[in-house]
Amino acid sequence: FSKVIDDLITVCKFMECENLSEVYQYLSMFSERKPNIIPRSRLVALLYTADSHRLLGKYSYQNLIVQDMEEAGVPEAIIKDEICQDFIDSVLVRAVYDVLRLATANRARKRRKIVHLLKHWREIQPSADYHDHQIYLKGNFKDESFLFNSIGSWSELWVSRLMLEFLCLGFELDLYALHEVDMMLWSVDFLLQSLSETRQRMKKYKTKLVEHEIVELMAQLQTDSQKKTVKKKSKSAKELKEKKKRLNRLKNEGHKVPVNKFRDDERYLQEMLRNLSSGTLCTILGLRCKGVYKDPDLSFGNRETRYAQRLKCLSGLRPDVYDFQVFQNVSDTSKYKEQNIFSTSNAKLTQVKRIATQLMKRDVAPWFDAYRKKKLMSLVRVSVSNNLLSQTIPSGSGTRKFQHSVQNSFGYLPMIKLA
């Protein structure tokens, strides 16, 4: 009963959230507490109030999505376009609400519901790309390099969250066989790498679009000044003032992205998970190089079939992790030397602790602080344990029984053990 009361108090703190990144982080934290149906049902009522049709009774989903796009790096000109606004109202509001409502399901059901949500996002992504193309055509750009899927890239960020949670819940619920662990670790690593590349592309495109608008405004102001000297008549002073004001704002703030501590924390955490998954995968490959661990001989099926079965629900989406040939090439131990692969593993797993130390120093909301510390310490314990494993197993010690287990309370990635 005391846990129910504690969970209900946590639900009350939900009222302090102010943006989608904070809401998503809160709901992830709440879901990992594994609350029962009573506090979860109270949370549902706050996600969409019947009288005001708003989140927490005060935030419009349309405005929250616009704010989230700005923080993700979608250019202002695209967000304010009518085509984008219509797409937000007709499609994205419901899609984002469904993602947030995932927190009201228990952990096993949550993973099953992610599969159904991904089917919906599989339809949303091509539609987002289509709307991006329509905005490009409307802008009359002469250079095709300005054709970029800004809304589509924003959708990738949300799809990546769902895909990452789907993969990590598989570890928590102990759904993966021993010989599937390296496949899933590679999928997590590849997914987070693709996510990082998407962010970089969005940042570069926004900078390019802002610079293009600055050049156009300067050309227009120069033309207006020439007309004034020749005809002694210019456009209205109000229009000129607005153009100059817009130009100054673009020069000073156009390249900047609104700061959001929760989005930054999420990016740091994803970088930790990427290093942890990549480092653990290198440890497994190093153990194979040592001859300590060997894959079981599958009597039925093969690794490619297993890979397809595990990741079939992620196919047809961006980022694309449904490529066994790439994984097969990465996991080929004949390409690696034992010393090099363990050095790479040590570097990546050590990086986890360094990032955690940086995150500990960052200010955060009081309700999130204790949860973040426990999460970071759990990930550091896993990284240290997996790093020590490669240093304690001597070469030529014979084949050992391979085990993996999720020892931390957050169930992200596994500790590797040899019996």
Side-chain angles (χ1 to χ4, degrees):
F1 183 74
S2 60
K3 187 178 184 305
V4 175
I5 299 298
D6 192 32
D7 288 336
L8 288 172
I9 294 174
T10 305
V11 171
C12 295
K13 296 178 182 178
F14 185 38
M15 299 296 296
E16 301 174 12
C17 296
E18 298 179 349
N19 54 69
L20 272 185
S21 295
E22 186 175 0
V23 168
Y24 184 80
Q25 289 280 2
Y26 173 90
L27 294 176
S28 297
M29 177 271 293
F30 183 77
S31 177
E32 288 168 5
R33 291 173 61 91
K34 301 178 182 178
N36 66 17
I37 189 63
I38 297 174
R40 283 191 277 127
S41 63
R42 299 307 308 156
L43 193 61
V44 174
L46 295 175
L47 290 177
Y48 190 83
T49 53
D51 52 346
S52 62
H53 305 292
R54 291 169 176 259
L55 175 66
L56 300 175
K58 53 184 178 179
Y59 297 121
S60 164
Y61 272 92
Q62 289 88 341
N63 294 338
L64 287 173
I65 292 173
V66 167
Q67 180 186 5
D68 191 66
M69 285 184 171
E70 291 174 349
E71 294 168 353
V74 179
E76 180 183 356
I78 292 178
I79 295 175
K80 290 185 176 181
D81 195 283
E82 292 181 0
I83 297 175
C84 180
Q85 292 293 325
D86 291 342
F87 185 60
I88 291 174
D89 294 342
S90 60
V91 177
L92 295 183
V93 168
R94 178 67 195 206
V96 170
Y97 168 75
D98 288 339
V99 173
L100 299 182
R101 187 164 179 172
L102 273 175
T104 63
N106 61 51
R107 305 296 279 173
R109 190 179 180 189
K110 183 177 184 179
R111 191 174 188 271
R112 292 196 299 269
K113 291 181 72 173
I114 288 176
V115 176
H116 298 295
L117 276 185
L118 288 175
K119 292 179 182 178
H120 184 43
W121 282 93
R122 194 176 288 116
E123 299 173 357
I124 291 176
Q125 283 190 333
S127 180
D129 295 340
Y130 170 79
H131 285 79
D132 279 316
H133 187 67
Q134 293 301 308
I135 294 173
Y136 166 77
L137 294 176
K138 185 179 177 181
N140 294 321
F141 291 103
K142 297 179 180 179
D143 189 353
E144 289 188 1
S145 63
F146 285 98
L147 176 58
F148 181 76
N149 300 328
S150 294
I151 307 174
S153 297
W154 176 85
S155 73
E156 283 186 42
L157 303 182
W158 282 88
V159 169
S160 298
R161 285 169 168 168
L162 292 175
M163 295 169 72
L164 180 62
E165 192 145 22
F166 174 82
L167 293 170
C168 291
L169 279 171
F171 286 111
E172 178 183 334
L173 299 173
D174 198 20
L175 300 179
Y176 305 136
L178 295 178
H179 52 279
E180 296 174 339
V181 173
D182 55 346
M183 302 179 189
M184 300 302 107
L185 288 173
W186 177 82
S187 299
V188 171
D189 179 29
F190 187 78
L191 170 64
L192 293 175
Q193 179 185 351
S194 301
L195 181 58
S196 177
E197 292 172 355
T198 299
R199 289 196 184 102
Q200 290 298 321
R201 288 196 299 270
M202 293 179 72
K203 184 178 180 180
K204 289 180 180 179
Y205 178 72
K206 180 176 181 178
T207 300
K208 184 176 182 178
L209 202 62
V210 168
E211 290 175 352
H212 173 74
E213 189 174 353
I214 289 175
V215 171
E216 280 196 336
L217 283 172
M218 291 180 68
Q220 291 174 13
L221 289 173
Q222 186 177 2
T223 302
D224 291 343
S225 63
Q226 290 174 354
K227 287 181 179 179
K228 182 178 181 181
T229 57
V230 175
K231 299 181 179 181
K232 296 183 180 180
K233 185 178 180 181
S234 63
K235 291 186 177 181
S236 66
K238 186 176 180 181
E239 287 183 358
L240 286 173
K241 187 177 180 180
E242 287 295 328
K243 285 182 180 180
K244 290 179 180 180
K245 185 178 179 181
R246 172 71 177 168
L247 181 61
N248 291 331
R249 192 169 73 85
L250 287 175
K251 287 182 177 180
N252 296 329
E253 303 177 1
H255 300 82
K256 297 179 181 179
V257 175
V259 178
N260 187 314
K261 293 182 179 180
F262 288 91
R263 182 178 288 276
D264 293 340
D265 279 4
E266 182 182 27
R267 189 176 68 253
Y268 277 114
L269 178 60
Q270 289 172 351
E271 187 63 26
M272 285 182 66
L273 287 175
R274 182 183 173 188
N275 280 283
L276 182 54
S277 59
S278 180
T280 304
L281 176 60
C282 289
T283 299
I284 295 175
L285 295 177
L287 293 175
R288 288 179 183 162
C289 291
K290 274 188 173 185
V292 176
Y293 160 63
K294 294 181 180 180
D295 277 330
D297 183 16
L298 299 178
S299 301
F300 301 97
N302 51 51
R303 283 170 66 81
E304 184 173 4
T305 302
R306 291 286 187 128
Y307 185 89
Q309 289 175 342
R310 286 298 184 191
L311 300 180
K312 185 177 180 180
C313 63
L314 307 185
S315 63
L317 289 160
R318 297 195 314 269
D320 184 12
V321 298
Y322 192 71
D323 194 339
F324 179 78
Q325 298 303 322
V326 178
F327 164 73
Q328 192 174 39
N329 183 52
V330 170
S331 61
D332 185 3
T333 54
S334 63
K335 298 181 178 180
Y336 306 111
K337 292 183 180 180
E338 178 185 319
Q339 184 177 1
N340 294 341
I341 194 69
F342 278 127
S343 297
T344 304
S345 172
N346 177 65
K348 291 182 177 295
L349 293 175
T350 303
Q351 187 76 349
V352 174
K353 185 176 181 180
R354 187 189 67 81
I355 299 174
T357 303
Q358 290 180 346
L359 267 175
M360 290 288 194
K361 299 177 181 178
R362 291 172 57 86
D363 294 332
V364 74
W367 63 263
F368 190 64
D369 188 45
Y371 161 75
R372 185 181 64 173
K373 287 180 180 178
K374 290 180 181 179
K375 176 189 285 189
L376 295 179
M377 292 306 299
S378 294
L379 293 176
V380 169
R381 281 198 297 269
V382 175
S383 67
V384 171
S385 176
N386 290 348
N387 197 17
L388 289 175
L389 177 65
S390 61
Q391 303 173 19
T392 56
I393 302 297
S395 299
S397 59
T399 304
R400 305 279 291 276
K401 185 178 179 181
F402 178 73
Q403 295 179 346
H404 76 285
S405 59
V406 178
Q407 298 290 337
N408 59 83
S409 59
F410 294 99
Y412 278 103
L413 298 178
M415 288 183 179
I416 304 301
K417 292 186 177 182
L418 292 173

